[in-house]
Amino acid sequence: MLSSLCLRGGGIRRVLVATKMNTSLDRTKAASHLWSCRQFSTDETKSSGGGYAVVDHSEAYEAAMQGPHGEQLALARLEGKGKDDPPFDPFLEEELAALEVDGPYDDEDGNIIQAQQDDDDDDDEEEEEDDFSSPYNRDGSIRRSKSVLATLRAGFPAGGQFAVVELGGAQHKVTTDDLVVVNRLKPVEKYKIGSVHTLTDVMLVASSHKTLVGMPYVKGAEVDVMVEEITRDGKVIIFKKRRRKNSQRRNGFRRDVTLLRVLDIRFPESEKEHYHVGRDILEELDEDRTELQSRTA
């Protein structure tokens, strides 16, 4: 199988096609050629702000989806079916039949029973409002149905794009809707809660069919984030003791952190139109769930 590697930066474009090597000498020559080409591209693009390597693995992805890996993912997609159904109640049909015959007031305290049912309905409505007031859970993860969660845990791909960004002196691998915890960003007046920022220090950006590796950064790639919260991290205990010296010290430390929500990941303009598996695949899972519920209703 052929795999192409394009080094882009400034005004140069070099294409290196690496085929399957039969001898160790050929593999060594190919590795040295690739390294020299990469070094040449990096040195020449220092003045232009950096280049990036384009790895097109669409053919390998499609071949894998046609093989055993694709069959395994098809089984993973079936893993979530039935997870959203209500628990089985063997006496439900009998209770419904009794209500149809006798009505809701089948004893002397019928009014109290009706009031209790109304209170239960109000409690259920309040729980539903609490559940769907925010698209995110309390831990910051995105809210999904049980069937979709079971499908994703079984190995089904969530689609979309991911990136590796440099932020606050560290590298973070992020995707859309992720919650990133970093050291408090300064100045605080700039990174206020609710403010949206565009990160350009993107070291790698990739999808299911293509990967762009920065040298050191991918020029033109952007990641949009929103400041969701400014708080302090959990307490870390620092305990020091000097034995036989009657000396010990116990201190606590809480780190100042900023919580960022990843809103969008964008490829450079020249690579935006390539085909890849998007996040709409999760919408298809939700459509399958609603269709299954409508059939069983």
Side-chain angles (χ1 to χ4, degrees):
M1 183 183 303
L2 298 180
S3 60
S4 61
L5 177 66
C6 305
L7 301 180
R8 302 185 181 182
I12 70 168
R13 174 187 171 112
R14 286 176 172 267
V15 180
L16 176 64
V17 179
T19 58
K20 185 177 181 181
M21 302 299 177
N22 295 324
T23 62
S24 59
L25 181 61
D26 294 337
R27 287 195 296 269
T28 304
K29 289 181 178 179
S32 61
H33 187 192
L34 174 59
W35 176 251
S36 62
C37 182
R38 183 178 301 168
Q39 284 294 106
F40 176 76
S41 177
T42 304
D43 295 339
E44 187 166 331
T45 58
K46 280 183 179 178
S47 59
S48 62
Y52 56 87
V54 181
V55 183
D56 187 357
H57 42 78
S58 57
E59 294 182 3
Y61 178 83
E62 296 296 339
M65 294 301 295
Q66 297 298 329
H69 181 65
E71 297 177 358
Q72 192 71 19
L73 294 183
L75 294 176
R77 185 164 186 168
L78 302 176
E79 189 70 22
K81 286 192 175 182
K83 298 294 184 180
D84 296 324
D85 296 341
F88 176 71
D89 187 0
F91 306 103
L92 181 61
E93 295 182 359
E94 297 179 2
E95 293 176 358
L96 294 176
L99 288 175
E100 291 177 359
V101 174
D102 300 332
Y105 311 106
D106 54 354
D107 54 6
E108 296 178 356
D109 298 330
N111 294 328
I112 299 177
I113 294 176
Q114 184 66 22
Q116 290 177 354
Q117 292 177 354
D118 294 338
D119 293 339
D120 294 339
D121 294 339
D122 294 339
D123 294 339
D124 294 339
E125 291 178 358
E126 292 178 357
E127 290 178 358
E128 290 179 357
E129 291 178 357
D130 294 339
D131 290 341
F132 297 99
S133 60
S134 173
Y136 304 106
N137 297 317
R138 291 186 176 181
D139 60 353
S141 60
I142 190 169
R143 192 185 299 276
R144 302 192 190 279
S145 60
K146 293 181 180 179
S147 60
V148 175
L149 286 176
T151 303
L152 295 177
R153 286 168 182 163
F156 194 79
Q161 305 165 351
F162 72 91
V164 177
V165 297
E166 186 177 5
L167 184 62
Q171 299 179 15
H172 303 272
K173 180 183 177 182
V174 298
T175 186
T176 310
D177 294 326
D178 274 0
L179 187 65
V180 186
V181 181
V182 299
N183 294 327
R184 177 172 292 185
L185 301 177
K186 299 180 181 180
V188 181
E189 293 77 10
K190 178 181 177 181
Y191 296 97
K192 294 181 179 179
I193 296 178
S195 60
V196 179
H197 305 272
T198 300
L199 307 179
T200 56
D201 292 342
V202 182
M203 310 188 72
L204 183 143
V205 61
S207 65
S208 59
H209 286 63
K210 187 172 289 188
T211 300
L212 308 184
V213 183
M215 301 185 324
Y217 302 115
V218 180
K219 187 176 181 181
E222 296 176 342
V223 177
D224 291 339
V225 297
M226 181 183 68
V227 180
E228 196 162 280
E229 188 176 355
I230 300 175
T231 181
R232 302 176 71 184
D233 206 351
K235 182 179 290 187
V236 179
I237 303 299
I238 300 98
F239 182 79
K240 293 185 179 180
K241 179 178 180 180
R242 300 172 181 86
R243 60 179 183 174
R244 298 191 299 273
K245 300 296 182 181
N246 194 23
S247 172
Q248 65 181 24
R249 183 176 60 187
R250 182 180 183 273
N251 293 327
F253 172 74
R254 297 184 66 185
R255 181 179 59 145
D256 296 330
V257 296
T258 300
L259 274 61
L260 303 175
R261 178 73 64 178
V262 181
L263 302 178
D264 189 21
I265 297 174
R266 292 189 295 275
F267 271 65
E269 290 292 338
S270 59
E271 307 292 342
K272 276 186 177 180
E273 302 300 329
H274 76 282
Y275 173 78
H276 65 280
V277 179
R279 281 298 178 93
D280 51 355
I281 195 170
L282 296 179
E283 298 178 1
E284 295 179 2
L285 293 178
D286 289 331
E287 292 176 0
D288 295 344
R289 176 176 61 88
T290 54
E291 183 180 356
L292 182 63
Q293 289 179 349
S294 62
R295 288 180 180 177
T296 55

